[in-house]
Amino acid sequence: MKPIRFPEFDGLRATAALMVFGFHAWFIGLPVSDRLDWSSRLPSWGPRLLDSSIENLGPQGVALFYVISGFLLYRPFLAARASGTERSPLGGYLIRRGARIFPAYWAALTIVGLLQDSKGLFTLSGVWDYYLFNHIYSSATLYGNPIPSGWTLGVELSFYVFLALWVAVSDRLNLQRGDWFGRELTALSSLAAVSFGWLIWTLLDPSSSPRAFQPRLVALPASLYVFAAGMALAAISVRVTEDHAARDSAAARFASFLSRRGWLIALTALFLMSVYGALPGFGSGNWEGPVLVDSTLKVVTAVGLVGPAIFRAERRTIPLRLLGSRVALYLGLVSYGIYIWQLFVMERLFRGGRFHLELPTLWTFPAATALALGATTLIATASWFLLEKRVIRWAAALSGREGGERRVAR
């Protein structure tokens, strides 16, 4: 079966990477005093709304990455199961996923660790914790990674393994028989419910510290419902492309609605998150509500952003044009390098005393951010052409996939 291409997904990866980049630039590149000086130019409600809006970019970018992974990684398996054709071997899938995530991360971690003199990194415990992503399971190591964004890669890796198990179990249960679509949505709904239940249980646990960044809220069970949203989109996509699928079916109607209204849904959810986060009265003693609201709305936003790129009613809408532009496609191509190198570059530029010129922040911050993005993109380009692209081709050949593998996640 010839795989279906989704050309705007590289642009979506670029969007996710830039969301995280913007979040880090604002909160790392600007001291609190400068942020307050800038935001003081806004109306009285402006500072909190501005900070809340930018603060949502980071988690939203991560959620968008997760939904993209859930959709693109699961769809080939599901399409093969629904059509009764032979799926790709799981061993080859795991080889390609390992080649996608480990080598570039290992190279960056080693270089950054050497430059920062992270001696504990080059020990047996350091290799176990940080090179193999086990640091996300302990509060003692969660904050110690020289590449702080590596925690999301640990979650991605967990999902790769989980997805292989999910596919193997689904094949054993023969879910393709009868109403495969209904069974699939039921199974994915149950998966999302268990994951969201884990999230609520953690938030309500009195022993849980009042912060969103902790092992139980970072590990895969707390994010699995986000991946499940992408997997559900994969099921709907396969369903509406089946020859016997009626155009007026519920799946087809939902796909049509998402293709036309996805952007509006995403913008509305982002706005609601920003307004909710700007409301007064949310301190360390009342952190559960904001986390729960953000955890819900970020999935809605990600689905709204991804939907039009999957179920394209019109090819030439302005958002799809932007996602399909050469700049967006290129940034998406090297987005993995941008993601893992951005904080290192920002620390050197923003906190090394070489760029902060004591000029009005309103004028210096955009230039500093553009400089950081340019430098990060150059490093990411070198990472892609010198390492990532070659390793991906090698892994594709090793796993028996001809012609190499088009990137499907990060």
Side-chain angles (χ1 to χ4, degrees), residues 85-99:
T85 58
E86 184 178 0
R87 61 165 171 77
S88 300
L90 293 175
Y93 154 79
L94 290 173
I95 289 174
R96 294 188 297 273
R97 289 296 88 214

Side-chain angles (χ1 to χ4, degrees), residues 71 74-75 78-79 81-83 166 170 174-190 228-242 244-246 248-255 311:
F71 174 80
Y74 191 44
R75 195 185 190 283
L78 192 56
R81 186 192 309 154
S83 62
W166 179 270
S170 298
N174 293 320
L175 291 181
Q176 72 270 30
R177 294 181 178 178
D179 181 20
W180 72 267
F181 181 66
R183 294 185 181 186
E184 191 67 39
L185 288 187
T186 299
L188 291 175
S189 297
S190 300
M231 295 167 71
L233 288 175
I236 297 171
S237 173
V238 171
R239 179 62 173 173
V240 299
T241 56
E242 287 182 330
H244 62 273
D248 60 348
S249 66
R253 291 195 299 271
F254 179 77
F311 314 108

Side-chain angles (χ1 to χ4, degrees), residues 66-298:
Y66 289 173
V67 171
I68 290 172
S69 293
F71 174 80
L72 288 178
L73 292 177
Y74 191 44
R75 195 185 190 283
F77 293 120
L78 192 56
R81 186 192 309 154
S83 62
T85 58
E86 184 178 0
R87 61 165 171 77
S88 300
L90 293 175
Y93 154 79
L94 290 173
I95 289 174
R96 294 188 297 273
R97 289 296 88 214
R100 175 62 257 171
I101 201 169
F102 278 120
Y105 168 75
W106 283 343
L109 183 61
T110 301
I111 294 172
V112 172
L114 289 172
L115 292 176
Q116 294 182 351
D117 195 23
S118 303
K119 297 180 180 179
L121 179 65
F122 306 108
T123 63
L124 287 178
S125 61
V127 170
W128 172 258
D129 288 331
Y130 300 113
Y131 279 85
L132 299 179
F133 298 111
N134 289 296
H135 68 289
I136 66 175
Y137 303 110
S138 170
S139 297
T141 55
L142 182 58
Y143 291 86
N145 195 332
I147 298 181
S149 56
W151 70 269
T152 67
L153 306 181
V155 178
E156 287 265 10
L157 183 66
S158 302
F159 174 70
Y160 298 161
V161 176
F162 170 83
L163 184 61
L165 296 174
W166 179 270
V167 170
V169 171
S170 298
D171 287 349
R172 292 284 299 220
L173 296 177
N174 293 320
L175 291 181
Q176 72 270 30
R177 294 181 178 178
D179 181 20
W180 72 267
F181 181 66
R183 294 185 181 186
E184 191 67 39
L185 288 187
T186 299
L188 291 175
S189 297
S190 300
L191 178 65
V194 171
S195 173
F196 211 75
W198 170 285
L199 178 66
I200 295 175
W201 168 69
T202 302
L203 293 175
L204 296 180
D205 185 357
S207 65
S208 179
S209 60
R211 60 177 61 186
F213 195 61
Q214 57 175 288
R216 279 196 292 173
L217 290 178
V218 164
L220 180 63
S223 300
L224 198 49
Y225 71 98
V226 187
F227 290 101
M231 295 167 71
L233 288 175
I236 297 171
S237 173
V238 171
R239 179 62 173 173
V240 299
T241 56
E242 287 182 330
D243 292 336
H244 62 273
R247 292 186 177 181
D248 60 348
S249 66
R253 291 195 299 271
F254 179 77
S256 176
F257 171 77
L258 206 55
S259 69
R260 292 178 289 106
R261 298 288 184 265
W263 312 114
L264 179 61
I265 291 171
L267 289 175
T268 301
L270 274 174
F271 176 75
L272 291 176
M273 273 194 291
S274 299
V275 171
Y276 185 79
L279 294 176
F282 294 120
S284 60
N286 186 17
W287 64 288
E288 300 91 342
V291 171
L292 194 59
V293 170
D294 290 350
S295 299
T296 303
L297 290 178
K298 71 183 182 182

